[in-house]
């Protein structure tokens, strides 16, 4: 028996680092659909010509970057390789899934077996999606994930796109997270990450949103390794102010989320002088257990008509990425705080800057060092007990949408407690009169479960507030004269052990000053 004939064609680069993408609910599928359009555009995969859809655009059959991170290979009659998104689409409304599957650009690329749903609806209730309609869908999703894992050489992680507002995006996501975490922990330690649309201040079209969000955050705390937060209020302001779009549509808001997702995963899909992967990203962004809720800023954000008046360099992009106007969730990462009114100062616990363009590592390192060094305008937002807290990667491929340099800045900032505080306030206002509690009880979630989820959200907020309260230094700033003495800061000392350490450091400091004075006399 003769061996099978291999298909001829160019050798395509392979990263051997795959990601499985799962999009759940109406918002999650809408965001995921824009993400796949962007992936096809960046990797030069045809989406407009029916006969060639899914194939590379150039005649030699070459794409750009590592396509295998997000795409599987299929076969197309007469053309060779067709690229299939490694995606699983889930919803409890088949009408919404049909709309995504019929998309003119990427709808035909999705594998039909990976579109999982029913037409029972979750009624915007977490409990119904988790306990009633979800188990069958979660089992089917697990079977699809098993098949995808078997095709992978080195699975890096599983990423979700969903909302923390409606029933399907919260309940079904929580059930799938729990199911996959039990399975993947036995197989490999891959990163579970979520791109979550959090409740926006002043915008709510779901009356059960406070309960759903609290239950969703509880699942995200327990089953994910990192969560990237967005909300429609912040995304709308970015589109209106920075991109100068008068009446932005949901599609344009979703495109901003897709830009962030593209930048965060660019380190896996392209080569560059500073490379990274999901495990490195997660290790650098989560300094404390359970503190894995992240905010994003991106640059440049400039309207099409204004781009010709601005040249983006490393310093300009760095200043933009720190601006609160470029943050994709409503909170202020540069809040100076007000001790009199009890407003906490925001602190960057950890950060990651994903650069795209022709950058030298030395210029990027210099700008990031100058931002954190003592005396800079940003120094007070970086705690001294986590030095050098901005990590970065650089990939050579520019943003294909505008053919320009760009950066996505992800940070673990204590200001994220504002998101959870708003959720707690909304939860309390609804629960005060026990409104809609019976909706959850009839589908298997008791009042105690609701209270527990609320307390979990309070725990997350309290943890970030505690990090914001930690003082930087044991000693007050003192002059450099020979007669100066260090003064212990009472606020920085929290227990007897720290007081002992501070006193020992004070004595050592005195000894060092004495040695310096003796050396100075000897050299005269």
């Amino acid at each position: 028996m003769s061996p099978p004939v291999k298909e001829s064609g160019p050798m395509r680069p392979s990263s051997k680092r795959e990601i499985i993408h799962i999009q759940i609910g109406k918002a999650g599928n809408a965001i995921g659909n824009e993400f796949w359009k962007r992936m096809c555009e960046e990797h030069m995969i045809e989406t407009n010509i029916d006969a060639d859809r899914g194939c590379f655009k150039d005649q030699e059959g070459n794409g750009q970057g590592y396509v295998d991170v997000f795409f599987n290979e299929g076969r197309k009659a007469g053309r060779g390789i067709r690229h299939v998104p490694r995606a699983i689409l889930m919803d409890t409304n088949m009408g919404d899934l049909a709309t995504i599957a019929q998309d003119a650009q990427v709808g035909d690329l999705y594998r039909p077996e990976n579109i999982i749903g029913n037409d029972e609806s979750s009624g915007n209730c977490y409990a119904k999606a988790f306990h009633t309609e979800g188990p069958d869908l979660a089992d089917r999703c697990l079977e699809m994930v098993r098949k995808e894992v078997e095709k992978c050489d080195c699975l890096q992680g599983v990423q979700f796109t969903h909302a923390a507002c409606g029933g399907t995006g919260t309940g079904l996501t929580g059930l799938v997270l729990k199911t996959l975490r039990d399975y993947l922990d036995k197989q490999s330690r891959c990163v579970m990450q979520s791109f979550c649309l959090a409740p926006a201040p002043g915008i709510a079209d779901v009356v059960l949103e406070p309960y759903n969000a609290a239950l969703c955050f509880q699942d995200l705390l327990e089953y994910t390794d990192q969560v990237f937060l967005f909300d429609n209020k912040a995304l709308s302001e970015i589109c209106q102010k920075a991109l100068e779009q008068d009446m932005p549509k949901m599609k344009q808001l979703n495109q901003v989320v897709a830009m962030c997702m593209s930048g965060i995963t660019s380190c896996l899909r392209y080569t560059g002088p500073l490379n990274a992967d999901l495990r490195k990203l997660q290790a650098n962004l989560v300094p404390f257990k359970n503190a894995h809720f992240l905010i994003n800023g991106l640059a440049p954000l400039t309207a099409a008509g204004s781009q010709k008046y601005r040249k983006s360099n490393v310093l300009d992009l760095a200043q933009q990425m720190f601006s609160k106007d470029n943050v994709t969730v409503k909170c202020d990462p540069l809040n100076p705080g007000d001790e009199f009114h009890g407003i906490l100062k925001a602190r960057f616990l950890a950060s990651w800057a994903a650069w795209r363009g022709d950058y030298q590592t030395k210029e990027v390192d210099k700008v990031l060092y100058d931002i954190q060094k003592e005396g800079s305008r940003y120094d007070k937002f970086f705690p001294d007990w986590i030095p050098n807290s901005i990590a970065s990667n650089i990939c050579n491929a520019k943003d294909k949408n505008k053919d320009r340099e760009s950066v996505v800045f992800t940070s673990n900032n204590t200001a994220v407690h504002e998101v959870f505080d708003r959720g707690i306030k909304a939860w309390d206002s609804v629960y005060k009169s026990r409104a809609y509690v019976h909706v959850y009880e009839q589908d298997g979630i008791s009042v105690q479960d609701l209270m527990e989820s609320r307390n979990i959200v309070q725990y997350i907020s309290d943890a970030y507030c505690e990090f914001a309260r930690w003082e930087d230094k044991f000693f007050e700033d003192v002059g450099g004269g020979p007669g100066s003495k260090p003064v212990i800061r009472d606020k920085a000392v929290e227990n007897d052990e720290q007081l002992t350490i501070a006193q020992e450091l004070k004595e050592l400091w005195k000894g060092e000053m004495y040695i310096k004075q003796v050396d100075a006399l000897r050299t005269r």
Side-chain angles (χ1 to χ4, degrees):
M1 182 176 178
S2 60
V5 178
K6 293 185 179 180
E7 183 180 358
S8 61
M11 293 295 293
R12 296 178 177 84
S14 175
S15 70
K16 305 297 184 185
R17 297 182 295 182
E18 297 90 355
I19 296 176
I20 297 174
H21 174 92
I22 302 176
Q23 50 196 58
I24 303 178
K26 184 175 182 179
N29 278 288
I31 293 171
N33 203 47
E34 294 300 323
F35 171 71
W36 287 113
K37 290 179 182 178
R38 193 170 186 85
M39 290 297 99
C40 290
E41 183 179 11
E42 292 192 2
H43 292 289
M44 299 176 63
I45 295 174
E46 183 62 65
T47 58
N48 296 318
I49 303 174
D50 292 344
D52 297 334
R53 187 172 286 119
C55 304
F56 286 132
K57 292 182 179 180
D58 67 338
Q59 298 298 323
E60 287 79 19
N62 293 318
Q64 185 163 358
Y66 298 124
V67 184
D68 65 320
V69 173
F70 282 109
F71 290 88
N72 291 323
E73 288 190 355
R75 296 180 65 89
K76 187 172 181 66
R79 183 66 194 274
I81 299 297
R82 172 188 172 98
H83 293 89
V84 180
R86 193 180 295 108
I88 299 174
L89 290 69
M90 303 184 69
D91 204 344
T92 55
N93 187 335
M94 289 302 296
D96 293 335
L97 283 178
T99 302
I100 298 298
Q102 293 169 6
D103 184 88
Q105 289 183 278
V106 297
D108 187 48
L109 297 182
Y110 300 122
R111 189 180 177 194
E113 292 85 351
N114 285 12
I115 300 177
I116 302 172
N118 57 31
D119 214 8
E120 299 298 327
S121 178
S122 65
N124 285 330
C125 178
Y126 174 100
K128 190 174 181 63
F130 190 97
H131 289 293
T132 308
E133 305 300 336
D136 179 57
L137 301 181
D139 290 341
R140 291 165 61 187
C141 177
L142 176 60
E143 186 62 28
M144 292 297 105
V145 169
R146 283 174 176 164
K147 294 179 180 179
E148 294 293 351
V149 170
E150 291 173 358
K151 300 176 187 176
C152 296
D153 292 308
C154 180
L155 181 65
Q156 280 280 297
V158 180
Q159 71 178 27
F160 291 79
T161 57
H162 65 102
C165 306
T168 305
T170 57
L172 185 56
T173 300
L175 182 59
V176 172
L177 280 170
K178 182 179 185 301
T179 304
L180 294 188
R181 177 57 86 186
D182 294 340
Y183 166 67
L184 291 174
D185 267 353
K186 300 174 184 177
Q187 302 297 319
S188 62
R189 183 58 182 169
C190 71
V191 176
M192 300 271 283
Q193 63 182 17
S194 165
F195 295 88
C196 177
L197 193 67
I203 303 176
D205 57 354
V206 179
V207 72
L208 301 179
E209 181 181 285
Y211 294 148
N212 291 336
L215 291 162
C216 180
F217 286 137
Q218 180 181 5
D219 292 332
L220 293 176
L221 177 71
E222 186 171 357
Y223 302 121
T224 61
D225 297 302
Q226 54 191 14
V227 181
F228 303 90
L229 295 174
F230 306 85
D231 70 49
N232 285 334
K233 181 75 170 179
L235 297 173
S236 297
E237 291 182 358
I238 287 175
C239 291
Q240 290 174 342
K241 296 178 181 179
L243 303 181
E244 298 180 5
Q245 299 168 350
D246 294 334
M247 295 291 290
K249 299 179 180 179
M250 295 304 298
K251 179 178 180 179
Q252 294 165 324
L253 272 59
N254 295 336
Q255 287 173 349
V256 177
V257 181
M259 289 168 59
C260 290
M261 297 174 66
S262 170
I264 291 169
T265 59
S266 62
C267 55
L268 282 84
R269 299 182 290 111
Y270 297 100
T271 58
L274 282 177
N275 209 346
D277 58 15
L278 282 190
R279 295 189 181 103
K280 183 177 180 180
L281 186 71
Q282 191 267 339
N284 281 272
L285 281 174
V286 185
F288 301 102
K289 184 180 179 181
N290 296 332
H292 58 251
F293 294 88
L294 314 172
I295 62 177
N296 303 281
L298 65 162
L301 285 174
T302 309
S306 304
Q307 290 177 9
K308 58 185 177 183
Y309 302 109
R310 188 170 196 169
K311 181 180 179 181
S312 298
N313 54 31
V314 177
L315 180 59
D316 181 54
L317 290 177
Q319 291 173 340
Q320 286 188 65
M321 74 185 187
F322 273 95
S323 172
K324 67 177 182 180
D325 295 330
N326 289 25
V327 176
T328 57
V329 67
K330 286 300 292 182
C331 64
D332 187 0
L334 298 178
N335 190 339
D338 188 339
E339 187 174 354
F340 180 77
H341 292 93
I343 301 175
L344 297 174
K345 179 171 63 176
R347 315 296 292 276
F348 288 96
L349 303 180
S351 306
W352 186 280
W355 302 85
R356 300 184 64 174
D358 299 325
Y359 293 120
Q360 299 294 324
T361 56
K362 61 179 181 181
E363 61 177 336
V364 171
D365 291 342
K366 183 180 186 306
V367 168
L368 297 183
Y369 171 77
D370 290 340
I371 285 174
Q372 302 173 80
K373 73 178 182 181
E374 188 174 356
S376 74
R377 59 174 294 199
Y378 301 108
D379 172 47
K380 60 183 178 181
F381 301 108
F382 289 92
D384 294 343
W385 33 269
I386 303 183
N388 304 318
S389 60
I390 304 181
S392 62
N393 70 275
I394 304 173
C395 72
N396 293 326
K398 296 182 180 180
D399 186 345
K400 290 300 173 184
N401 191 26
K402 302 295 183 182
D403 192 24
R404 60 183 180 180
E405 290 83 3
S406 64
V407 61
V408 174
F409 183 65
T410 302
S411 62
N412 197 334
N413 192 293
T414 59
V416 77
H417 76 85
E418 298 175 25
V419 179
F420 302 108
D421 290 343
R422 287 195 297 266
I424 294 169
K425 185 178 180 181
W427 194 97
D428 289 341
S429 64
V430 177
Y431 185 77
K432 181 170 59 177
S433 58
R434 303 297 190 271
Y436 301 104
V437 171
H438 68 283
V439 177
Y440 291 82
E441 288 181 323
Q442 67 188 9
D443 280 297
I445 291 185
S446 64
V447 176
Q448 288 74 20
D449 295 330
L450 291 175
M451 287 294 299
E452 181 183 1
S453 66
R454 189 262 184 211
N455 293 335
I456 290 293
V457 178
Q458 184 69 62
Y459 160 77
I460 300 172
S461 175
D462 290 345
Y464 275 105
C465 290
E466 184 65 23
F467 299 144
R469 293 189 186 97
W470 286 359
E471 292 290 339
D472 283 346
K473 303 173 183 177
F474 280 138
F475 302 104
E476 299 280 359
D477 294 332
V478 294
S484 62
K485 298 180 180 179
V487 179
I488 297 176
R489 302 182 66 177
D490 294 333
K491 292 182 179 179
V493 178
E494 297 182 355
N495 51 52
D496 294 339
E497 182 181 1
Q498 291 184 359
L499 179 60
T500 303
I501 294 173
Q503 291 172 344
E504 292 177 355
L505 290 174
K506 184 177 180 179
E507 295 300 323
L508 288 172
W509 185 86
K510 289 181 179 179
E512 290 179 359
M513 291 298 297
Y514 175 76
I515 293 172
K516 288 180 180 178
Q517 293 177 20
V518 172
D519 291 341
L521 291 173
R522 287 176 177 174
T523 56
R524 288 181 181 178

